[in-house]
């Protein structure tokens, strides 16, 4: 008998998302076909809406389970397990180098530095 690894806490929910999503794509195709050929498409469109709502609800459920699992065990599995936080930039400015103020006036290379600028009038 084959040994299995530990299952993710959301494995079944993700399978359900894939299953419902597959039918959502199918209903989208049928709805577009009906619209293009002039056949009634309201029923197919409402069914498609139901599939989209089901996928959204399953995803919200998946995120809730992931966050509850992360809070209980400290393990983060998958996207949505932890709230989005800004990541530190890789090249942060050095604290020792002073920053120069940015000038709001445009630089004109044709005039000398001590000549009056149009903005100064």
């Amino acid at each position: 008998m084959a040994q299995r690894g530990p299952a993710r806490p959301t494995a079944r929910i993700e399978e359900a998302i894939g299953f419902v999503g597959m039918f959502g794509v199918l209903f989208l195709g049928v709805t577009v076909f009906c619209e293009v050929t002039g056949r009634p498409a309201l029923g197919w469109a409402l069914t498609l809406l139901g599939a989209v709502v089901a996928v959204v609800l399953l995803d919200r459920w998946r995120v809730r389970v992931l966050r509850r699992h992360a809070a209980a065990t400290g393990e983060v599995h998958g996207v949505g397990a932890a709230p989005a936080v800004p990541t530190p930039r890789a090249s942060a400015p050095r604290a020792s180098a002073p920053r120069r103020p940015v000038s709001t006036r445009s630089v004109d290379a044709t005039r000398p530095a001590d000549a009056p600028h149009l903005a100064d009038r």
Side-chain angles (χ1 to χ4, degrees):
M1 194 152 103
Q3 291 185 356
R4 294 183 176 182
R8 292 183 321 276
T10 58
R12 297 283 185 201
I13 300 172
E14 290 165 359
E15 290 172 5
I17 290 172
F19 185 76
V20 174
M22 178 196 62
F23 279 103
V25 170
L26 176 75
F27 292 139
L28 175 66
V30 172
T31 303
V32 168
F33 176 77
C34 288
E35 286 288 339
V36 169
T37 59
R39 295 181 179 161
L42 179 61
W44 294 110
L46 291 176
T47 307
L48 173 60
L49 176 65
V52 169
V53 168
V55 167
V56 169
L57 291 175
L58 285 167
D59 184 56
R60 294 288 87 210
W61 183 25
R62 178 185 147 278
V63 168
R64 258 195 335 260
V65 168
L66 283 172
R67 289 190 180 159
R68 185 173 53 228
H69 180 74
T73 64
E75 298 176 15
V76 177
H77 295 283
V79 176
V85 294
T87 57
R89 292 183 5 208
S91 60
R94 294 187 301 252
S96 62
R99 290 185 167 222
R100 295 186 320 193
V102 178
S103 174
T104 58
R105 298 189 321 187
S106 64
V107 177
D108 187 3
T110 61
R111 68 176 181 85
D114 59 343
H117 192 268
L118 292 176
D120 295 335
R121 293 182 189 177

